[in-house]
Amino acid sequence: MTDKAAVIASGLIGRGWATSVSRAGYDVALYDAALGCAHAALGFIDTVLADLHRDGLLNGNAPDAVRGRIKVAPTVADA
Protein backbone atom coordinates (compact mmCIF):
# COMPACT_ATOMS: atom_id res chain seq x y z
CA MET A 1 0.00 0.00 0.00
CA THR A 2 1.21 3.52 -0.79
CA ASP A 3 1.06 6.46 1.56
CA LYS A 4 0.44 8.99 -1.23
CA ALA A 5 -2.60 9.92 -3.27
CA ALA A 6 -3.31 12.24 -6.18
CA VAL A 7 -6.55 14.18 -6.47
CA ILE A 8 -7.15 15.55 -9.95
CA ALA A 9 -9.47 18.59 -9.89
CA SER A 10 -10.13 20.78 -6.90
CA GLY A 11 -13.82 21.48 -7.11
CA LEU A 12 -16.15 20.55 -4.27
CA ILE A 13 -15.67 16.81 -4.71
CA GLY A 14 -11.89 17.08 -5.19
CA ARG A 15 -11.63 19.20 -2.06
CA GLY A 16 -13.63 16.63 -0.15
CA TRP A 17 -11.47 13.76 -1.36
CA ALA A 18 -8.26 15.62 -0.55
CA THR A 19 -9.53 16.35 2.96
CA SER A 20 -10.76 12.81 3.59
CA VAL A 21 -7.62 11.13 2.27
CA SER A 22 -5.39 13.46 4.26
CA ARG A 23 -7.43 12.82 7.42
CA ALA A 24 -6.66 9.14 6.90
CA GLY A 25 -2.93 9.91 7.04
CA TYR A 26 -2.00 10.00 3.37
CA ASP A 27 0.07 12.69 1.63
CA VAL A 28 -2.12 14.27 -1.06
CA ALA A 29 -1.06 15.96 -4.30
CA LEU A 30 -3.91 18.21 -5.43
CA TYR A 31 -3.94 19.25 -9.10
CA ASP A 32 -6.33 21.37 -11.13
CA ALA A 33 -5.93 22.42 -14.77
CA ALA A 34 -7.59 25.77 -14.05
CA LEU A 35 -4.88 28.17 -12.97
CA GLY A 36 -5.08 29.04 -9.27
CA CYS A 37 -7.99 26.75 -8.44
CA ALA A 38 -5.99 24.21 -6.48
CA HIS A 39 -4.42 26.96 -4.37
CA ALA A 40 -7.86 28.52 -3.80
CA ALA A 41 -9.16 25.13 -2.69
CA LEU A 42 -6.65 25.11 0.17
CA GLY A 43 -8.43 28.06 1.79
CA PHE A 44 -11.69 26.17 1.69
CA ILE A 45 -9.98 23.08 3.11
CA ASP A 46 -8.56 25.16 5.98
CA THR A 47 -12.11 26.22 6.90
CA VAL A 48 -13.40 22.65 6.71
CA LEU A 49 -10.54 21.37 8.85
CA ALA A 50 -11.35 23.91 11.55
CA ASP A 51 -14.96 22.68 11.57
CA LEU A 52 -13.93 19.02 11.61
CA HIS A 53 -11.53 19.69 14.48
CA ARG A 54 -14.23 21.48 16.47
CA ASP A 55 -16.50 18.46 15.99
CA GLY A 56 -13.78 15.93 16.89
CA LEU A 57 -13.58 14.42 13.40
CA LEU A 58 -9.85 14.61 12.63
CA ASN A 59 -8.92 11.21 14.04
CA GLY A 60 -6.91 12.84 16.82
CA ASN A 61 -4.89 15.01 14.42
CA ALA A 62 -4.47 18.77 14.60
CA PRO A 63 -5.84 20.71 11.61
CA ASP A 64 -2.35 21.89 10.64
CA ALA A 65 -1.07 18.30 10.58
CA VAL A 66 -3.86 17.23 8.23
CA ARG A 67 -3.43 20.35 6.08
CA GLY A 68 0.33 19.80 5.98
CA ARG A 69 -0.22 16.57 4.08
CA ILE A 70 -1.99 18.38 1.20
CA LYS A 71 0.23 19.99 -1.43
CA VAL A 72 -0.62 21.56 -4.76
CA ALA A 73 0.98 19.79 -7.73
CA PRO A 74 1.87 21.95 -10.75
CA THR A 75 1.12 19.19 -13.30
CA VAL A 76 -0.83 15.96 -13.53
CA ALA A 77 2.45 14.08 -13.87
CA ASP A 78 3.71 15.64 -10.64
CA ALA A 79 0.51 14.67 -8.86
Side-chain angles (χ1 to χ4, degrees):
M1 185 166 89
T2 182
D3 57 350
K4 298 178 183 179
V7 175
I8 309 302
S10 63
L12 186 60
I13 293 172
R15 294 170 187 186
W17 276 110
T19 302
S20 294
V21 172
S22 179
R23 282 177 49 216
Y26 291 83
D27 290 331
V28 177
L30 180 61
Y31 170 78
D32 199 301
L35 188 61
C37 285
H39 286 286
L42 297 178
F44 175 84
I45 290 170
D46 288 338
T47 302
V48 170
L49 290 175
D51 293 341
L52 292 171
H53 179 66
R54 184 190 67 238
D55 295 334
L57 298 172
L58 288 183
N59 302 327
N61 292 294
D64 58 340
V66 176
R67 172 58 179 76
R69 290 190 285 267
I70 304 171
K71 307 288 188 228
V72 171
T75 67
V76 171
D78 290 328

